[in-house]
Amino acid sequence: MEAHERLADASLLNEQPLRALEELHKARTLLHTLRDTSSLPPDDRRLADVEFSLGIAQLQAGNASAATAHYHQAARVLSLRKAKLERSLADAKIAKLSGEVDGVVQPCGTEGCLSQAEEDEIKFIGEIIGDIENRLNEIRAASSSTC
């Protein structure tokens, strides 16, 4: 799968979007197979990454509507990932507060805290979703100016 993504990246750099689409579709098929067999969670960032890359390739190939669909799918996967992380954060806070109400103070590193990496991921995913929304707005603006 990683080989397909690297070949796609190289193809995009060389302005060969059709070759990139071919490789990205292969990578997506592999990821979906893993997801469908429960070997990969539906909120795995690699699923969003390949959809985002498919959006870039479709846009480079001149297919704005297909690019939009892939960007939307990437945003959905990332939103699911972010929601799950936020739920974990809320559950951790509830557990910590419940312990404190019962007179038990739990230090981070035990039940009651998310890692800094998970908190950073929540922030980073929000930024990526914002970038996707900007790309979608640019596509909408470009298509309305050509009509």
Side-chain angles (χ1 to χ4, degrees), residues 49-75:
D49 291 345
V50 77
E51 291 294 342
F52 185 82
S53 295
L54 279 162
I56 292 170
Q58 287 289 4
L59 202 55
Q60 198 178 89
N63 193 345
S65 63
T68 297
H70 289 295
Y71 285 140
H72 279 296
Q73 183 61 19

mmCIF file of all heavy atoms in Angstrom, residues 49-75:
data_model
loop_
_atom_site.group_PDB
_atom_site.id
_atom_site.type_symbol
_atom_site.label_atom_id
_atom_site.label_comp_id
_atom_site.label_asym_id
_atom_site.label_seq_id
_atom_site.Cartn_x
_atom_site.Cartn_y
_atom_site.Cartn_z
ATOM 1 N N ASP A 49 -6.108 9.935 4.393
ATOM 2 C CA ASP A 49 -4.970 10.377 3.570
ATOM 3 C C ASP A 49 -5.141 9.985 2.108
ATOM 4 O O ASP A 49 -4.882 10.786 1.204
ATOM 5 C CB ASP A 49 -3.661 9.787 4.099
ATOM 6 C CG ASP A 49 -3.240 10.368 5.433
ATOM 7 O OD1 ASP A 49 -3.791 11.419 5.842
ATOM 8 O OD2 ASP A 49 -2.358 9.764 6.087
ATOM 9 N N VAL A 50 -5.576 8.754 1.877
ATOM 10 C CA VAL A 50 -5.712 8.310 0.487
ATOM 11 C C VAL A 50 -6.873 9.040 -0.193
ATOM 12 O O VAL A 50 -6.781 9.400 -1.374
ATOM 13 C CB VAL A 50 -5.827 6.760 0.376
ATOM 14 C CG1 VAL A 50 -7.199 6.253 0.742
ATOM 15 C CG2 VAL A 50 -5.436 6.290 -1.006
ATOM 16 N N GLU A 51 -7.958 9.314 0.544
ATOM 17 C CA GLU A 51 -9.068 10.063 -0.049
ATOM 18 C C GLU A 51 -8.638 11.492 -0.375
ATOM 19 O O GLU A 51 -8.976 12.027 -1.432
ATOM 20 C CB GLU A 51 -10.282 10.076 0.894
ATOM 21 C CG GLU A 51 -10.969 8.739 1.059
ATOM 22 C CD GLU A 51 -11.647 8.220 -0.204
ATOM 23 O OE1 GLU A 51 -11.910 8.999 -1.141
ATOM 24 O OE2 GLU A 51 -11.932 7.008 -0.246
ATOM 25 N N PHE A 52 -7.880 12.102 0.530
ATOM 26 C CA PHE A 52 -7.364 13.450 0.302
ATOM 27 C C PHE A 52 -6.481 13.463 -0.951
ATOM 28 O O PHE A 52 -6.617 14.346 -1.807
ATOM 29 C CB PHE A 52 -6.580 13.914 1.536
ATOM 30 C CG PHE A 52 -6.110 15.328 1.466
ATOM 31 C CD1 PHE A 52 -6.964 16.371 1.790
ATOM 32 C CD2 PHE A 52 -4.812 15.631 1.089
ATOM 33 C CE1 PHE A 52 -6.533 17.694 1.734
ATOM 34 C CE2 PHE A 52 -4.368 16.948 1.033
ATOM 35 C CZ PHE A 52 -5.236 17.978 1.354
ATOM 36 N N SER A 53 -5.594 12.488 -1.061
ATOM 37 C CA SER A 53 -4.714 12.402 -2.227
ATOM 38 C C SER A 53 -5.509 12.157 -3.508
ATOM 39 O O SER A 53 -5.171 12.708 -4.568
ATOM 40 C CB SER A 53 -3.674 11.298 -2.029
ATOM 41 O OG SER A 53 -2.824 11.625 -0.956
ATOM 42 N N LEU A 54 -6.566 11.350 -3.415
ATOM 43 C CA LEU A 54 -7.428 11.143 -4.582
ATOM 44 C C LEU A 54 -8.083 12.460 -4.999
ATOM 45 O O LEU A 54 -8.235 12.734 -6.199
ATOM 46 C CB LEU A 54 -8.498 10.086 -4.287
ATOM 47 C CG LEU A 54 -8.030 8.637 -4.403
ATOM 48 C CD1 LEU A 54 -8.988 7.692 -3.679
ATOM 49 C CD2 LEU A 54 -7.881 8.246 -5.864
ATOM 50 N N GLY A 55 -8.446 13.271 -4.017
ATOM 51 C CA GLY A 55 -9.011 14.582 -4.332
ATOM 52 C C GLY A 55 -8.015 15.452 -5.080
ATOM 53 O O GLY A 55 -8.365 16.106 -6.070
ATOM 54 N N ILE A 56 -6.788 15.455 -4.615
ATOM 55 C CA ILE A 56 -5.734 16.240 -5.285
ATOM 56 C C ILE A 56 -5.547 15.749 -6.723
ATOM 57 O O ILE A 56 -5.486 16.546 -7.663
ATOM 58 C CB ILE A 56 -4.411 16.148 -4.511
ATOM 59 C CG1 ILE A 56 -4.535 16.873 -3.162
ATOM 60 C CG2 ILE A 56 -3.248 16.717 -5.330
ATOM 61 C CD1 ILE A 56 -3.368 16.627 -2.226
ATOM 62 N N ALA A 57 -5.465 14.431 -6.889
ATOM 63 C CA ALA A 57 -5.243 13.861 -8.225
ATOM 64 C C ALA A 57 -6.427 14.150 -9.156
ATOM 65 O O ALA A 57 -6.228 14.493 -10.330
ATOM 66 C CB ALA A 57 -4.989 12.359 -8.124
ATOM 67 N N GLN A 58 -7.639 14.025 -8.633
ATOM 68 C CA GLN A 58 -8.820 14.301 -9.470
ATOM 69 C C GLN A 58 -8.845 15.771 -9.885
ATOM 70 O O GLN A 58 -9.168 16.087 -11.028
ATOM 71 C CB GLN A 58 -10.113 13.943 -8.722
ATOM 72 C CG GLN A 58 -10.357 12.462 -8.588
ATOM 73 C CD GLN A 58 -10.741 11.792 -9.906
ATOM 74 O OE1 GLN A 58 -10.774 12.387 -10.977
ATOM 75 N NE2 GLN A 58 -11.034 10.500 -9.816
ATOM 76 N N LEU A 59 -8.478 16.645 -8.959
ATOM 77 C CA LEU A 59 -8.450 18.067 -9.292
ATOM 78 C C LEU A 59 -7.389 18.343 -10.356
ATOM 79 O O LEU A 59 -7.636 19.088 -11.308
ATOM 80 C CB LEU A 59 -8.175 18.881 -8.021
ATOM 81 C CG LEU A 59 -8.613 20.326 -8.032
ATOM 82 C CD1 LEU A 59 -10.092 20.469 -8.367
ATOM 83 C CD2 LEU A 59 -8.324 20.958 -6.680
ATOM 84 N N GLN A 60 -6.226 17.704 -10.206
ATOM 85 C CA GLN A 60 -5.160 17.875 -11.198
ATOM 86 C C GLN A 60 -5.593 17.330 -12.559
ATOM 87 O O GLN A 60 -5.195 17.853 -13.595
ATOM 88 C CB GLN A 60 -3.878 17.178 -10.723
ATOM 89 C CG GLN A 60 -2.634 17.644 -11.444
ATOM 90 C CD GLN A 60 -1.377 16.982 -10.935
ATOM 91 O OE1 GLN A 60 -0.989 15.919 -11.417
ATOM 92 N NE2 GLN A 60 -0.742 17.594 -9.942
ATOM 93 N N ALA A 61 -6.442 16.292 -12.540
ATOM 94 C CA ALA A 61 -6.939 15.711 -13.786
ATOM 95 C C ALA A 61 -8.108 16.518 -14.368
ATOM 96 O O ALA A 61 -8.608 16.194 -15.442
ATOM 97 C CB ALA A 61 -7.371 14.259 -13.561
ATOM 98 N N GLY A 62 -8.550 17.554 -13.645
ATOM 99 C CA GLY A 62 -9.625 18.402 -14.146
ATOM 100 C C GLY A 62 -11.015 17.943 -13.777
ATOM 101 O O GLY A 62 -11.990 18.409 -14.354
ATOM 102 N N ASN A 63 -11.120 17.046 -12.809
ATOM 103 C CA ASN A 63 -12.433 16.528 -12.416
ATOM 104 C C ASN A 63 -12.798 17.053 -11.029
ATOM 105 O O ASN A 63 -12.612 16.376 -10.020
ATOM 106 C CB ASN A 63 -12.424 15.007 -12.435
ATOM 107 C CG ASN A 63 -13.815 14.426 -12.339
ATOM 108 O OD1 ASN A 63 -14.768 15.112 -11.980
ATOM 109 N ND2 ASN A 63 -13.926 13.151 -12.645
ATOM 110 N N ALA A 64 -13.346 18.257 -10.993
ATOM 111 C CA ALA A 64 -13.656 18.918 -9.722
ATOM 112 C C ALA A 64 -14.731 18.183 -8.924
ATOM 113 O O ALA A 64 -14.649 18.119 -7.693
ATOM 114 C CB ALA A 64 -14.078 20.359 -9.965
ATOM 115 N N SER A 65 -15.722 17.617 -9.592
ATOM 116 C CA SER A 65 -16.793 16.949 -8.845
ATOM 117 C C SER A 65 -16.273 15.692 -8.146
ATOM 118 O O SER A 65 -16.639 15.421 -6.999
ATOM 119 C CB SER A 65 -17.985 16.611 -9.748
ATOM 120 O OG SER A 65 -17.611 15.698 -10.751
ATOM 121 N N ALA A 66 -15.414 14.930 -8.796
ATOM 122 C CA ALA A 66 -14.825 13.749 -8.156
ATOM 123 C C ALA A 66 -13.894 14.177 -7.029
ATOM 124 O O ALA A 66 -13.872 13.548 -5.970
ATOM 125 C CB ALA A 66 -14.083 12.893 -9.179
ATOM 126 N N ALA A 67 -13.144 15.260 -7.242
ATOM 127 C CA ALA A 67 -12.263 15.767 -6.188
ATOM 128 C C ALA A 67 -13.075 16.139 -4.957
ATOM 129 O O ALA A 67 -12.704 15.796 -3.827
ATOM 130 C CB ALA A 67 -11.479 16.981 -6.697
ATOM 131 N N THR A 68 -14.196 16.804 -5.180
ATOM 132 C CA THR A 68 -15.071 17.204 -4.072
ATOM 133 C C THR A 68 -15.546 15.984 -3.286
ATOM 134 O O THR A 68 -15.536 15.997 -2.050
ATOM 135 C CB THR A 68 -16.272 18.002 -4.622
ATOM 136 O OG1 THR A 68 -15.775 19.197 -5.238
ATOM 137 C CG2 THR A 68 -17.245 18.369 -3.532
ATOM 138 N N ALA A 69 -15.945 14.949 -3.982
ATOM 139 C CA ALA A 69 -16.416 13.730 -3.305
ATOM 140 C C ALA A 69 -15.312 13.121 -2.441
ATOM 141 O O ALA A 69 -15.564 12.692 -1.305
ATOM 142 C CB ALA A 69 -16.915 12.719 -4.338
ATOM 143 N N HIS A 70 -14.098 13.080 -2.955
ATOM 144 C CA HIS A 70 -12.983 12.508 -2.187
ATOM 145 C C HIS A 70 -12.624 13.393 -0.991
ATOM 146 O O HIS A 70 -12.338 12.882 0.096
ATOM 147 C CB HIS A 70 -11.763 12.293 -3.077
ATOM 148 C CG HIS A 70 -11.935 11.172 -4.053
ATOM 149 N ND1 HIS A 70 -12.081 9.856 -3.662
ATOM 150 C CD2 HIS A 70 -12.005 11.181 -5.408
ATOM 151 C CE1 HIS A 70 -12.225 9.102 -4.732
ATOM 152 N NE2 HIS A 70 -12.185 9.875 -5.800
ATOM 153 N N TYR A 71 -12.644 14.707 -1.175
ATOM 154 C CA TYR A 71 -12.375 15.611 -0.049
ATOM 155 C C TYR A 71 -13.430 15.443 1.046
ATOM 156 O O TYR A 71 -13.105 15.424 2.231
ATOM 157 C CB TYR A 71 -12.318 17.065 -0.511
ATOM 158 C CG TYR A 71 -11.067 17.444 -1.253
ATOM 159 C CD1 TYR A 71 -11.122 18.278 -2.360
ATOM 160 C CD2 TYR A 71 -9.808 16.995 -0.853
ATOM 161 C CE1 TYR A 71 -9.975 18.653 -3.048
ATOM 162 C CE2 TYR A 71 -8.658 17.357 -1.539
ATOM 163 C CZ TYR A 71 -8.749 18.182 -2.626
ATOM 164 O OH TYR A 71 -7.603 18.543 -3.294
ATOM 165 N N HIS A 72 -14.690 15.316 0.640
ATOM 166 C CA HIS A 72 -15.757 15.109 1.630
ATOM 167 C C HIS A 72 -15.546 13.800 2.398
ATOM 168 O O HIS A 72 -15.723 13.750 3.618
ATOM 169 C CB HIS A 72 -17.138 15.106 0.970
ATOM 170 C CG HIS A 72 -17.683 16.465 0.698
ATOM 171 N ND1 HIS A 72 -17.999 17.371 1.684
ATOM 172 C CD2 HIS A 72 -17.963 17.088 -0.480
ATOM 173 C CE1 HIS A 72 -18.457 18.486 1.135
ATOM 174 N NE2 HIS A 72 -18.430 18.335 -0.179
ATOM 175 N N GLN A 73 -15.153 12.746 1.686
ATOM 176 C CA GLN A 73 -14.917 11.461 2.361
ATOM 177 C C GLN A 73 -13.739 11.561 3.325
ATOM 178 O O GLN A 73 -13.796 11.030 4.434
ATOM 179 C CB GLN A 73 -14.690 10.339 1.343
ATOM 180 C CG GLN A 73 -14.506 8.970 1.967
ATOM 181 C CD GLN A 73 -15.707 8.493 2.779
ATOM 182 O OE1 GLN A 73 -16.827 8.991 2.633
ATOM 183 N NE2 GLN A 73 -15.490 7.537 3.653
ATOM 184 N N ALA A 74 -12.694 12.246 2.930
ATOM 185 C CA ALA A 74 -11.550 12.438 3.829
ATOM 186 C C ALA A 74 -11.997 13.187 5.084
ATOM 187 O O ALA A 74 -11.624 12.809 6.204
ATOM 188 C CB ALA A 74 -10.443 13.213 3.117
ATOM 189 N N ALA A 75 -12.805 14.215 4.910
ATOM 190 C CA ALA A 75 -13.295 14.990 6.057
ATOM 191 C C ALA A 75 -14.173 14.133 6.974
ATOM 192 O O ALA A 75 -14.092 14.257 8.202
ATOM 193 C CB ALA A 75 -14.060 16.218 5.579
#
